[in-house]
Amino acid sequence: MGVKIMNVSPININTDDKKYNRVKLSSAVCSVAGVSGALAHIAKKQGFSLKPSHIKNTPVKDWAIFRMYNKNNPAKKIIELEEKEILELASASVAGGLAGGLVVDDKKYNKSKIRESVNQLLGNVTVPILCVGGTSRMYKKYKDKILAKVPQIKETGKISARFNKALKAVPFSLATVASLGIGIFAGNRVSNFLNEKVFKKEVDRKVKGTDFAPHVDDLGVAVTLMADRSKFSSFIQRTVPAFLCVPGYEVGIHRD
C-alpha cells in the first residue's frame, strides 16, 4: 500500500522583519546602556557613591536616581538634572542607539542613522533644552515681580486659598508651555535646515500634534528647571532619563 506525499508550500517568512526586530532590540538595549552609564557618571560627580557594597546597603528609595526631595530635610542630597546633565544623557542615548543600530542593521542604512543622530541631538534635544533652560532662568529671575502682579481674592477659607494658589501657578504653566512649544518648533526648523542645507536631503515636513509625544522629557526638564524644589518636581525629574532613551532608540532603528 503506497503512501501519497503531498507537496506543501513553505511558510513565507519575512526575514527582513525578523532582522529589523533585532535592530530594534539592539538599539533599545544600547540606548538604555548609554543613558545608564551617563547617569552613573552624573551621580558620582554629584557626590553619590557607586561602590557596590554601599549601594547594596542603601535602601532602594535612597539610591541617587530614586531619592526624592524631602521638605523636612531640605539639605539631604538629591541628584540634580539641569541643562548640561540632560545634554550628557541625551548624547549618551544617541551614541548608544547609533552604535546598536550600526552593528546589527545593514550597512546601507549607516548614513541615514548618522544623519538622524545629528537631527535628534540638535533638533529634538539641544534646541528645546536651551529654550527651556533660558526661559527658566528668566522666569526665576523675575518670579517675585511676576507673582506680585497676579490678582488674588480675599481668602476666607480653604477654597479661596486654593484658588489663589492656582492663580499663582498660571504664569509658571504659561512659561513652561511657551518655552517648550518654541523649543520644539525651533528644533524642527533646525532639523529641516540640516536635512536640506547640510545633508542635501529634500524635506517638506511641518510640526504635527504627534510630534509633541517624544518631547515628554523636555516637559519634565521644564518642570524641574522652573518649579520650586518639591517632591513632585523631583519625581518628574526622575522620569527624564527613561524618556531620554527615546532619541537613541529612534536613531538606531532609523532607515531612509
Side-chain angles (χ1 to χ4, degrees):
M1 181 177 177
V3 178
K4 184 178 181 181
I5 301 176
M6 298 177 63
N7 291 326
V8 181
S9 298
I11 298 173
N12 183 22
I13 299 175
N14 190 329
T15 55
D16 188 62
D17 285 348
K18 291 177 66 177
K19 183 167 187 175
Y20 195 48
N21 286 335
R22 292 197 296 272
V23 173
K24 290 179 179 179
L25 179 61
S26 177
S27 301
V29 170
C30 291
S31 177
V32 171
V35 170
S36 299
L39 190 60
H41 174 255
I42 292 168
K44 184 177 181 180
K45 194 166 58 174
Q46 294 188 6
F48 289 91
S49 175
L50 298 181
K51 292 182 179 179
S53 58
H54 177 83
I55 295 174
K56 181 180 178 181
N57 296 323
T58 302
V60 175
K61 65 181 180 66
D62 285 330
W63 288 359
I65 189 56
F66 296 128
R67 184 180 291 180
M68 300 288 186
Y69 173 77
N70 187 348
K71 66 178 180 180
N72 297 321
N73 187 10
K76 190 175 183 180
K77 186 189 305 177
I78 62 171
I79 196 167
E80 301 285 353
L81 298 178
E82 297 186 354
E83 293 105 307
K84 64 180 184 296
E85 288 81 17
I86 297 299
L87 292 176
E88 180 178 344
L89 289 168
S91 299
S93 170
V94 169
L98 177 61
L102 292 177
V103 169
V104 178
D105 211 352
D106 291 333
K107 291 183 178 181
K108 63 183 179 180
Y109 299 118
N110 285 1
K111 288 185 178 180
S112 66
K113 294 182 192 299
I114 293 171
R115 286 197 299 268
E116 181 64 12
S117 68
V118 177
N119 283 333
Q120 286 286 342
L121 196 55
L122 289 179
N124 284 352
V125 178
T126 302
V127 174
I129 290 301
L130 291 179
C131 287
V132 168
T135 303
S136 71
R137 285 190 292 273
M138 290 293 292
Y139 176 79
K140 286 183 176 180
K141 182 177 180 180
Y142 297 104
K143 180 179 177 180
D144 293 338
K145 293 181 179 180
I146 293 172
L147 294 182
K149 296 182 180 297
V150 175
Q152 299 281 274
I153 64 173
K154 184 179 180 181
E155 294 188 10
T156 56
K158 289 184 178 180
I159 295 178
S160 57
R162 288 175 181 173
F163 183 77
N164 281 338
K165 187 177 181 180
L167 284 175
K168 286 195 172 183
V170 171
F172 162 74
S173 301
L174 292 176
T176 301
V177 173
S179 64
L180 185 59
I182 291 171
I184 291 173
F185 277 95
N188 182 262
R189 295 298 296 271
V190 169
S191 292
N192 286 343
F193 175 82
L194 289 171
N195 279 321
E196 294 176 0
K197 305 299 182 183
V198 180
F199 300 136
K200 307 302 180 183
K201 178 179 169 61
E202 292 296 326
V203 295
D204 183 20
R205 186 178 185 279
K206 296 179 174 60
V207 174
K208 301 174 292 186
T210 53
D211 291 339
F212 285 76
H215 291 277
V216 177
D217 58 307
D218 296 332
L219 180 60
V221 173
V223 171
T224 55
L225 287 177
M226 300 174 76
D228 293 328
R229 275 181 139 202
S230 68
K231 193 170 185 178
F232 172 73
S233 65
S234 63
F235 169 76
I236 294 295
Q237 194 174 61
R238 298 306 169 264
T239 67
V240 169
F243 285 112
L244 281 173
C245 292
V246 174
Y249 175 75
E250 291 294 329
V251 168
I253 67 171
H254 188 74
R255 290 175 170 180
D256 276 349

